[in-house]
Amino acid sequence: MRVLGIETSCDETGIAVYDDELGLLSHTLYSQVKLHADYGGVVPELASRDHVRKVVPLIKQALADANSTMDDIDGVAYTTGPGLVGALLVGACVGRSLAYSWDKPAVGVHHMEGHLLAPMLEDNVPEYPFLALLVSGGHTMMVAVEGIGQYEVLGESVDDAAGEAFDKTAKLMGLDYPGGPRLAKLAEKGETGHYRFPRPMTDKPGLNFSFSGLKTFAANTIAKEPDDEQTRANIALAFEEAVVDTLSIKCRRALKQTDYTRLVIAGGVSANSRLRTSLAEMMKNLGGEVFYPRGEFCTDNGAMIAYAGLQRLKAGHTEDLGVKGMPRWPLDSLPPL
């Protein structure tokens, strides 16, 4: 089976073609970073309009790169949610219309299931069951995964997600959008020991996350300290260490609770090198293994949607002719395969 995947949940237009025998045949991505940079964050209406401009040319490019025509495509997958509803509807309308005109089945994909399955695009893939830490700009979730669609959400963010806290703190420091990667880059110049930030909710039982207070702590620290490059780097490092330690502590707690030995990290923040190093060292000490997608598949992309959609289509899951976008969509409400 060969599937065309379409991702338009936020500020990146991602298109890919995935074949269940040959693997990933093509993937194209257009980022709207420059479009939103002047505003310091994503403007939903501008994001939707840009998806309208880019989605069809990128589909043509992805099909050409995969040496495929509509006759070679066996199904179309597109992100239904969660995300910005206007952006979601662009991909859903185009994807469902293509499937109808090509007389092919279509399936809507859960954006976070796409991230969760992104490590399956690599050569070294995890076996089920495993623990998944999903960390992105909009979500921080700890999920016990028994199989595709067999998800138990063990914990999630009660306010700001980890990626959102990175971006907001970077903005407080005067860093350009997108701030998260720039804050991590600045932290590389930081010196340890100057600041100690709290590790939120690690002194309480449970696996939920809260990063809003950490952002406020960072704001107060920035306001009272000198505004020079080294001080900002030291603050950035202390903030990053706090986030990484918090995520690591929660992962260790969840692994003990589930008795799993495999950990998957995915989502935009999973590209953070300090987080990867910390979790890799932790899993080595525990005698387990950590899995994550390559950098280009950590952020939003069409490849993960094509892969997840292919699994759903092979199991017989299809959409009717209706088109919907779901800004909120609980991951654990998905049907198992």
Side-chain angles (χ1 to χ4, degrees):
M1 175 176 277
R2 187 170 296 186
V3 172
L4 173 70
I6 303 172
E7 156 61 25
T8 63
S9 66
C10 189
D11 60 342
E12 280 148 337
T13 312
I15 312 295
V17 177
Y18 190 91
D19 188 287
D20 60 349
E21 293 183 359
L22 301 176
L24 184 63
L25 300 182
S26 69
H27 71 100
T28 61
L29 183 70
Y30 174 78
S31 174
Q32 300 177 0
V33 165
K34 292 182 179 179
L35 175 67
H36 302 289
D38 290 342
Y39 305 96
V42 178
V43 181
E45 180 64 22
L46 295 181
S48 302
R49 292 181 182 184
D50 214 43
H51 285 308
V52 170
R53 286 191 289 266
K54 298 297 182 180
V55 65
V56 171
L58 287 176
I59 288 173
K60 292 180 177 179
Q61 180 183 335
L63 289 173
D65 291 346
N67 195 26
S68 299
T69 67
M70 65 178 187
D71 295 327
D72 301 307
I73 300 299
D74 300 301
V76 179
Y78 48 85
T79 305
T80 295
L84 302 176
V85 66
L88 291 167
L89 286 173
V90 175
C93 287
V94 172
R96 192 64 195 85
S97 299
L98 278 179
Y100 177 76
S101 64
W102 292 350
D103 194 23
K104 311 287 184 180
V107 66
V109 173
H110 193 292
H111 180 73
M112 297 312 294
E113 181 173 60
H115 276 304
L116 188 151
L117 297 176
M120 302 301 182
L121 297 166
E122 307 301 332
D123 294 330
N124 183 29
V125 301
E127 296 180 2
Y128 300 104
F130 57 77
L131 179 72
L133 173 65
L134 306 180
V135 277
S136 66
H139 301 84
T140 302
M141 305 174 68
M142 194 79 74
V143 186
V145 181
E146 294 285 339
I148 297 179
Q150 300 177 52
Y151 309 132
E152 180 185 0
V153 178
L154 304 176
E156 56 190 331
S157 51
V158 298
D159 42 53
D160 288 356
E164 186 178 5
F166 261 104
D167 287 339
K168 288 181 176 179
T169 301
K171 189 172 183 178
L172 290 170
M173 300 180 74
L175 300 176
D176 292 335
Y177 172 84
R182 287 179 166 80
L183 187 147
K185 187 70 175 177
L186 179 61
E188 294 177 2
K189 303 176 183 177
E191 300 171 349
T192 59
H194 290 276
Y195 302 97
R196 169 75 181 182
F197 281 32
R199 276 60 174 163
M201 295 186 72
T202 57
D203 59 344
K204 300 178 181 179
L207 295 169
N208 283 338
F209 303 90
S210 171
F211 292 105
S212 179
L214 185 61
K215 175 201 65 183
T216 302
F217 190 94
N220 292 335
T221 303
I222 293 166
K224 69 181 182 181
E225 295 298 320
D227 186 20
D228 61 82
E229 184 73 9
Q230 189 58 56
T231 299
R232 292 197 308 150
N234 295 341
I235 293 173
L237 175 59
F239 174 84
E240 185 181 51
E241 287 177 334
V243 173
V244 169
D245 283 354
T246 299
L247 295 174
S248 299
I249 290 168
K250 295 285 186 173
C251 282
R252 182 184 290 271
R253 188 178 296 178
L255 288 164
K256 183 177 181 180
Q257 178 178 316
T258 59
D259 203 30
Y260 291 166
T261 59
R262 289 175 287 272
L263 172 66
V264 161
I265 55 172
V269 182
S270 70
N272 182 279
S273 59
R274 190 177 301 276
L275 178 61
R276 289 193 176 199
T277 299
S278 175
L279 293 179
E281 182 178 348
M282 180 188 75
M283 293 306 292
K284 182 179 179 180
N285 293 335
L286 294 175
E289 190 173 3
V290 64
F291 302 83
Y292 42 77
R294 73 194 79 165
E296 61 187 320
F297 296 148
C298 290
T299 54
D300 296 349
N301 63 89
M304 67 183 191
I305 301 304
Y307 178 87
L310 184 143
Q311 310 309 314
R312 293 278 170 189
L313 287 168
K314 286 178 68 174
H317 296 190
T318 58
E319 303 292 341
D320 58 25
L321 288 177
V323 175
K324 58 186 176 183
M326 300 173 64
R328 298 184 182 275
W329 188 6
L331 181 65
D332 52 10
S333 69
L334 295 178
L337 299 192

